[in-house]
């Protein structure tokens, strides 16, 4: 029997746990789901005979080490900055680890020791990063195998709300960590455009957007992601002139979000004390350089041509310009904004979310320029069984199966960019309805 | 004999060391000047019989502890983030400490233990913070003593270049740490304006400036400092409706600096690799959303009405839009910009710098509204004996004398806001030519 420990039972875990429970008999698994919140963990295991739930505090070192020692394979679904002590214990006790997070420098530093001990530290095996790597590398390797030279690679992904549940003027509801959405993009984006190094600082990231067309779901706004340049090495894109990764949002979201950035409402560096003595309109007013009139008039005057009826509708929807009271006693502007958005952008029980991913390639083959796009749309079932939970959790679950079946045998720090993992992973995702559509132009 | 250890022999230290050497016989002092760079330390002590210079590496714990144990009074002139291990050792070995830096949370945490041991940890005793505290509190206490209620307090300070040495279109040269100038303002400024909480995020800090008039040196631009609100408590300003601290720059500096911020050139969060393969115009071009023409034309088109002949002149002066090569092999945009500015804004050997400080008060007394301003201008002698070095170093040196003479006897974490220190301090500064001019309106 293989004992699996899943640390964290939050929003991204239902599909992961469900898949492993489904395969528990065949693979002879016992699954422990551990979370700070015992009830949350219990809900996820559904009294399955091969699973149990426990209360677990990651900061309790004794419990952390004991638990890791008692299991064969660890999956950390905690926020990325919390993986390190788990990974260190995994190496120490020779246990495999899987996460859906980017490889940090500290994680990478464990590679040699993990490799020597035959321990796998599989990371970036969710949606983005995860499915993006696997699906892009499958196309890249296929183009290279034909003798093609890739000159352009653009890759976009967005966790959105499905059209049938899209009932607010922002076209957005939270299907994952709201804090990450509020703080998104707070560093300079870097990419290559026609051979030119290109930077976009945060102050205009949501203004300098592109429009991305899909065949089935219309057009989206895309803003550039943090560091696209690093993909030149990790994807082996030697000849690339354009290299860009971006995040998708519904049309109109970015220009309204830019107003929040310009105001300063996404700032997370200082705390406003006694915030609960303020209303949201007073908060907005405190950031406006024009103080003379009513807050909406001041905002409108200040924004000039940036203001339009759509933004008015979006701000009205949030009640940002009303005397709605702030409830938190204190918080950074970003935290006070987040509290409001969590109320307004709640994914309701029957709401469906949507994942859209699109890769665009341009390559030279036989002295001709070829274009290819590869697109994925996944719609969630409801607010629990989200497209986000499926696309983050299933790649992890499948990867674990591949390791247990000894179909994927690499050790050390790994990400899913090689055929031994992406081929079986994408095949099984396809059979589960997570399917890319390729198109040549 | 009292042995004094001065850690750090940089730009801000000549006046401090000079004053202490001058008073060494009378006060029976021996002075050790310690710096990473032995030559720098030696230059400062001028082979004075009561002083010696040593090479010192702050990261060498053994040497640090030994040195602190061997002296009676420690002055740390290192950057603010390096004071803590020194302060901890001072408390441990019961040695007084003085710095010109803001009290950090970690420093404040040492208060009770220091107080119990009779150890003084004097901070914020330079120019800003330092002379600003002393001079403002002298006025505030005097107004209160008359029964006045202060409703407005604005305080401005700038380390500038003197008019006679002002030969570049930015009106600026470095008289202190260039890195701090490049990164200035990278958080949201907070202040009170007519009773309203007001915030300015970094993206428009250098755009929303005020004009400050002086009687003797014309007008300056002022941009708001980080957190003015904290001064309500520390200065006891119970009735204040407007509370603002700002930094002064020559007219025209801020709107040009805003362009650098808007471009993204002050970003310090990511490293540009192989930077020495780029020219400065390529660097600027990489931040521009318009790529079609020559860099200056692109910048002009992008900036629209923000562009003017003065900004063109300022950018031309920096050679930012030319094929001037970047010399650093890698660096953040802020570091690459700093390298250029250090060349262009060098305070030459005969150049004089200038300190301008102005406090503005409005207060109610006998049912009348009164206005008072208090201004200071200090001109440096040359690039070594700067106004900055005088105004940072002399308050520290004088404070140390007051402690040794037992005229200032407080212990624990202290800043110069009480009459027992500000009265003798300001009196002696006045005798040294550092003199405020008061004016009622």
């Amino acid at each position: 029997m293989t004992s699996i420990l899943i640390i964290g039972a939050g929003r991204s875990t239902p599909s992961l746990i469900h898949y492993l429970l489904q395969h528990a008999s065949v693979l002879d698994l016992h699954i422990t789901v551990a979370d700070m919140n015992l009830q949350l963990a219990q809900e996820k295991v559904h009294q399955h005979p091969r699973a149990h739930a426990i209360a677990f505090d990651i900061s309790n070192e004794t419990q952390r080490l004991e638990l890791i020692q008692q299991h064969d394979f660890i999956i950390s679904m905690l926020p990325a900055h919390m993986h390190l002590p788990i990974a260190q214990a995994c190496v120490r006790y020779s246990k495999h680890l899987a996460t859906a997070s980017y490889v940090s420098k500290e994680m990478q530093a464990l590679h040699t020791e993990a490799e020597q001990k035959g321990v796998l530290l599989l990371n970036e095996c969710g949606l983005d990063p995860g499915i993006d790597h696997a699906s892009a590398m499958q196309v890249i390797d296929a183009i290279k195998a034909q003798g093609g030279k890739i000159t352009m690679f653009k890759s976009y992904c967005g966790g959105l709300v499905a059209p049938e549940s899209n009932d607010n003027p922002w076209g957005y509801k939270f299907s994952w960590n709201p804090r990450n959405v509020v703080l998104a993009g707070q560093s300079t984006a870097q990419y290559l455009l026609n051979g030119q190094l290109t930077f976009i600082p945060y102050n205009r990231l949501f203004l300098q957007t592109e429009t991305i067309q899909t065949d089935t779901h219309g057009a989206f706004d895309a803003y550039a992601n943090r560091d696209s340049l690093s993909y030149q090495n990790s994807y082996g894109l030697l000849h690339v002139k354009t290299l860009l990764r971006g995040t998708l949002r519904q049309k109109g979201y970015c220009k309204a979000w830019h107003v929040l950035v310009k105001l300063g409402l996404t700032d997370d560096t200082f705390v406003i004390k006694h915030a609960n003595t303020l209303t949201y309109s007073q908060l907005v007013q405190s950031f406006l350089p024009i103080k003379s009139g009513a807050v909406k008039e001041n905002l409108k005057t200040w924004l000039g041509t940036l203001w339009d009826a759509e933004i008015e509708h979006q701000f009205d929807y949030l009640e940002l310009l009303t005397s709605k009271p702030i409830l938190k006693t204190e918080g950074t502007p970003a935290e006070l904004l987040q509290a409001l958005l969590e109320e307004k952008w709640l994914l309701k029980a029957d709401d469906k979310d949507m994942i859209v991913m699109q890769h665009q390639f341009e390559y030279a083959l036989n002295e001709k320029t070829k274009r290819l796009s590869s697109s994925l749309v996944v719609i969630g079932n409801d607010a629990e069984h989200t497209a986000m939970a499926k696309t983050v959790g299933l790649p992890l679950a499948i990867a674990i199966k591949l390791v247990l079946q000894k179909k994927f045998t690499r050790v050390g720090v790994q990400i899913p960019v090689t055929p031994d993992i992406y081929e079986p992973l994408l095949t099984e995702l396809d059979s589960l309805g997570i399917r890319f559509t390729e198109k040549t132009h």
Side-chain angles (χ1 to χ4, degrees), chain A:
Chain A
M1 195 189 70
T2 304
S3 61
I4 293 184
L5 171 65
I6 300 174
I7 305 176
R11 263 191 243 243
S12 301
T13 58
S15 299
L16 164 70
I17 298 172
H18 183 247
Y19 181 99
L20 291 175
L21 291 176
Q22 270 190 318
H23 292 74
S25 294
V26 175
L27 296 171
D28 193 17
L29 307 178
H30 182 87
I31 297 148
T32 307
V33 178
D35 198 283
M36 288 270 273
N37 180 340
L38 178 60
Q39 203 193 328
L40 198 66
Q42 284 168 335
E43 283 164 14
K44 296 290 188 306
V45 303
H46 301 291
Q47 302 186 300
H48 192 284
R50 284 180 169 266
H52 77 289
I54 58 167
F56 171 62
D57 176 2
I58 179 73
S59 65
N60 180 335
E61 192 186 355
T62 314
Q63 194 192 9
R64 187 172 72 227
L65 296 182
E66 266 179 25
L67 262 181
I68 291 171
Q69 260 185 297
Q70 290 159 4
H71 290 82
D72 303 312
F73 207 130
I74 319 300
I75 306 166
S76 175
M77 297 301 285
L78 298 175
H81 69 275
M82 297 168 93
H83 295 324
L84 189 63
I86 298 170
Q88 288 165 332
C90 285
V91 173
R92 179 167 163 192
Y93 299 122
S94 294
K95 310 292 184 178
H96 294 321
L97 171 69
T99 85
S101 305
Y102 283 104
V103 175
S104 63
K105 274 184 198 160
E106 294 75 14
M107 181 72 79
Q108 189 60 50
L110 297 172
H111 175 71
T112 309
E113 194 187 346
E115 204 175 28
Q116 280 163 358
K117 288 191 151 181
V119 170
L120 170 65
L121 302 176
L122 179 65
N123 292 278
E124 308 192 14
C125 197
L127 167 64
D128 172 9
I131 294 178
D132 56 348
H133 290 328
S135 54
M137 285 308 299
Q138 191 180 46
V139 176
I140 289 167
D141 286 345
I143 291 171
K144 285 185 179 175
Q146 294 171 55
K149 287 180 178 174
I150 296 168
T151 53
M152 181 198 92
F153 172 58
K154 290 179 166 187
S155 178
Y156 304 92
C157 186
L160 305 158
V161 63
E164 55 265 50
S165 303
N166 182 3
D167 53 15
N168 84 51
W170 290 78
Y172 193 79
K173 297 186 183 186
F174 290 120
S175 57
W176 67 303
N177 189 346
R179 181 167 164 83
N180 290 2
V181 175
V182 174
L183 301 184
Q186 298 206 353
S187 69
T188 292
Q190 309 170 54
Y191 58 96
L192 269 182
L193 187 69
N194 304 321
Q196 282 197 295
L197 195 59
T198 304
F199 303 118
I200 310 180
Y202 183 56
N203 72 56
R204 49 196 163 90
L205 183 65
F206 291 92
L207 208 55
Q208 283 177 234
T209 56
E210 281 186 284
T211 300
I212 300 304
Q213 287 291 341
T214 65
D215 287 342
T216 51
H217 288 77
F220 296 90
D221 282 341
Y223 65 87
N225 276 353
R226 188 185 287 232
D227 181 13
S228 300
L229 303 176
S230 64
Y231 287 79
Q232 185 156 18
N233 278 328
S234 57
Y235 286 7
L237 297 167
L238 299 174
H239 306 284
V240 82
K241 299 284 177 210
T242 292
L243 179 56
L244 169 65
R245 288 169 50 93
T247 297
L248 299 176
R249 290 288 178 261
Q250 297 286 357
K251 296 292 295 170
Y253 175 100
C254 290
K255 76 178 172 19
W257 192 262
H258 173 72
V259 173
L260 298 177
V261 172
K262 189 176 161 82
L263 274 166
L265 285 174
T266 61
D267 189 315
D268 198 47
T269 64
F270 77 100
V271 170
I272 299 175
K273 299 212 172 116
H274 315 298
N276 56 348
T277 63
L278 297 173
T279 66
Y280 276 99
S281 73
Q282 285 171 331
L283 179 68
V284 172
Q285 185 58 75
S286 68
F287 279 99
L288 280 170
I290 300 169
K291 307 272 186 198
S292 51
V295 61
K296 193 190 276 189
E297 285 313 303
N298 292 343
L299 181 63
K300 210 167 147 174
T301 307
W302 179 57
L303 288 177
T305 55
L306 280 178
W307 180 263
D308 62 22
E310 189 180 13
I311 288 178
E312 181 165 4
H313 191 32
Q314 288 163 318
F315 272 63
D316 284 349
Y317 178 82
L318 294 184
E319 296 189 80
L320 251 177
L321 308 178
T322 71
S323 56
K324 186 179 174 71
I326 291 175
L327 300 177
K328 287 174 84 80
T329 50
E330 62 172 48
T332 65
E335 288 167 346
L336 304 180
L337 176 63
Q338 183 186 326
L340 180 64
L341 295 178
E342 287 193 52
E343 179 192 328
K344 300 294 184 180
W345 291 353
L346 177 74
L347 198 66
K348 291 192 288 284
D350 292 335
D351 277 344
K352 296 183 189 341
D353 72 324
M354 175 171 72
I355 297 296
V356 177
M357 186 178 280
Q358 187 179 95
H359 304 303
Q360 299 175 2
F361 302 90
E362 205 171 273
Y363 58 101
L365 181 64
N366 304 327
E367 288 167 34
K368 281 186 186 148
T369 300
K370 307 240 175 188
R371 284 182 196 82
L372 186 153
S373 71
S374 178
S375 302
L376 170 74
V377 177
V378 183
I379 307 282
N381 303 348
D382 55 42
E384 193 189 346
H385 301 91
T386 58
M388 184 62 85
K390 289 189 216 182
T391 53
V392 171
L394 291 177
L396 269 177
I398 295 165
I400 290 155
K401 188 181 75 174
L402 295 172
V403 173
L404 297 179
Q405 293 175 332
K406 305 205 188 310
K407 291 182 183 165
F408 181 70
T409 55
R410 291 173 194 260
V411 291
V413 175
Q414 298 293 339
I415 65 172
V417 288
T418 47
D420 51 352
I421 187 162
Y422 71 62
E423 289 294 358
L425 181 63
L426 292 169
T427 302
E428 184 157 353
L429 286 172
D430 187 293
S431 75
L432 296 169
I434 297 174
R435 189 170 302 147
F436 281 83
T437 310
E438 283 195 13
K439 197 174 150 184
T440 52
H441 312 249

